[in-house]
């Protein structure tokens, strides 16, 4: 049963200043995915692949105080 519901996420951060990439690994036993109200209201079904794609899409980290391991500068990603 756990083969289906467990896994490992890779969090990758790329410094926009020096392009250094750092990674962290997080184990999970379940994922909390957002479900589009639009999809449920108009189509009546939920596309799991679309939910997973939304979950893993890249995002900018604004004003979080991230300090790059390589260049030691505080940058907004």
């Amino acid at each position: 049963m756990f083969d289906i519901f467990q896994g490992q996420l890779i969090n990758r951060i790329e410094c926009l200043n020096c392009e250094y990439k750092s990674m962290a690994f997080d184990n999970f036993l379940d994922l909390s995915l957002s479900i589009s109200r639009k999809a449920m209201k108009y189509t009546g079904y939920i596309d799991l692949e679309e939910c997973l794609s939304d979950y893993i899409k890249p995002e900018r980290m604004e004003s979080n105080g991230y300090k790059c391991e390589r260049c030691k500068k505080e940058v907004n990603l």
Side-chain angles (χ1 to χ4, degrees):
M1 180 170 167
F2 286 109
D3 290 341
I4 296 173
F5 296 105
Q6 70 180 0
Q8 189 175 59
L9 293 172
I10 300 172
N11 294 310
R12 187 180 76 178
I13 297 177
E14 182 176 348
C15 177
L16 297 178
N17 189 47
C18 71
E19 299 181 357
Y20 175 73
K21 295 174 184 77
S22 63
M23 289 192 266
F25 299 89
D26 295 316
N27 297 323
F28 67 86
L29 292 175
D30 61 3
L31 292 174
S32 297
L33 302 175
S34 297
I35 298 173
S36 168
R37 289 185 179 191
K38 180 179 148 186
M40 289 183 59
K41 185 176 181 179
Y42 296 111
T43 64
Y45 77 96
I46 300 165
D47 184 349
L48 181 59
E49 287 185 26
E50 184 179 319
C51 293
L52 287 169
S53 291
D54 285 344
Y55 185 81
I56 63 169
K57 70 181 175 189
E59 58 186 319
R60 280 185 84 89
M61 297 168 49
E62 300 290 339
S63 302
N64 69 344
Y66 169 76
K67 191 171 189 176
C68 177
E69 294 175 32
R70 180 195 284 167
C71 69
K72 307 296 185 207
K73 291 187 180 181
E74 191 170 307
V75 291
N76 292 325
L77 303 173

